[in-house]
Amino acid sequence: MQNTLLLTLLLPTLAVLAVYLTGKKSAKAAGMLVALIAVADIALLSTTVPIVLNGAEHMYVESYYWIPVLGSSFTLFVDGVSLSMAIITLILILAAALFSVNYMQEKKGLAEYYALLTLLSIGLVGVFITSNLMLFYFCWELMLVPSYFIIGGWGYKEPYRAAFKFFIFTHAGAVFVLLGIGAIFMVTGNLDMFQAQTALMTAQPDLVKWILMSLTAGFAVKMAVVPVHMWLPDAHSEAPAPMSALLSGVIIGAGAYAILRVSLGTVFPAVMATDFGNQFLHGLAVFGVISAFFGSLIALVENDIKRIIAYSSIAHMGYVLFGLSLFPFQEAMAGTVLHLVNHAVSKGLFFLSAGAVMKQLEIRDIREMGGLAGRMPVTATASTTAALSIAGVPPFACFISEFLIFVGAFQTINSDNFYLPPTALMLVATVLSLAYALRYTRHIFLGPA
């Protein structure tokens, strides 16, 4: 089919109103409809897999005529990285919709909730499958609006406070992204990522540095890297569990994807051979180590069931940022992308199982829990599996991707001694991950009830 990717975006766009009207009659039917749309989108994207795997360029592209003055067409594409991210996003949307049917049934205004969830899926998938920077920015901002209303409308204690904090931080980050995109258009006269990459190679290096730093700073806010992480613990802990799964699973992952695709993929090659290029990558490594330690240490002493998982997200974005700093080593990049996918699945499962515990007990402090393994065996199994994966225990998912990142790090050490201390520190951070994962499991599922 020639218009597969366009249909992937149009299907949920056209379905938003249908989901809302269905929700007015039956919230359960609306949830099922959102799940059905996600399944249809997964099926559409799956048809591009043979082309991505076996094609000469390992990429599937659709190009449509658009505003001529912008110097580039309306282009949608998937390669191995964006296809993986788009499919895992839709799997999490599917899981969140199905989980919401029972989890959210006592809440009001569910027609709006499911319509917003559909709207969120458009923004998320759009970010991963477009190479046009204007469309990318539109989808980047589109993620923000439904997220704000879902956190504020169906959150816990102070939902609108957490939602407003999330909105302000991520919108401030988006300003830097917009400045970077505007500068790329000013320098190259083009808004296509791949064409702009070639054009930037002949641009003035000093200007390219500022574009790179502006874009990376904006994406780092969405990624919740220390020190621009302050929105994340409140937003994750106040949001309803299905939204927390999406926030931690793919919304912060979108920030990491954007750094890989736009900062490193489009802009960085122009300054790669300079001293600044090395300093930039070293800076990413340092912030990665700081984030990994900060997130892990706070998760180790936190007692709120959802804030523990929230801080572990900061830690894991530290691993991802460290992986990105190893650009362009192949094993490290493969490990980083795989870690985004594995973290999305593991963290989605972690938040949903925590939501199940909260719904049953109506408390959040893990010190007041215990012995739930006998009473909630399925939830206990799912939660422990997710915790062990997040801890990087073999043979679970996150261990495989972390292992690949470290293989890339050891390769990089051969050519750059700077990476020796950061790599050693990241290995220590994995031990801290195991510590908070075991503490979480012990307090909630083991011991006396």
Side-chain angles (χ1 to χ4, degrees), residues 389-413:
S389 176
I390 290 299
V393 174
F396 294 96
C398 288
F399 164 77
I400 299 163
S401 46
E402 284 177 18
F403 179 77
L404 279 173
I405 291 171
F406 283 119
V407 168
F410 288 125
Q411 284 182 336
T412 311
I413 288 168

Side-chain angles (χ1 to χ4, degrees), residues 87 195 205 251 341 351 361 422 427:
I87 287 177
Q195 292 170 20
I251 291 178
V341 172
F351 264 118
L361 302 186
L427 286 166

Side-chain angles (χ1 to χ4, degrees), residues 375-400:
R375 300 190 183 193
M376 301 174 73
V378 175
T379 304
T381 305
S383 192
T384 305
T385 302
L388 292 175
S389 176
I390 290 299
V393 174
F396 294 96
C398 288
F399 164 77
I400 299 163

Side-chain angles (χ1 to χ4, degrees), residues 25 30 135-136 152 172 215-216 227 250 285 289 335 341 362 374 403 420-421:
K25 294 184 178 179
L135 182 60
F136 172 89
L215 287 167
T216 308
V250 286
V289 171
V341 172
E362 296 184 348
F403 179 77
L420 190 56

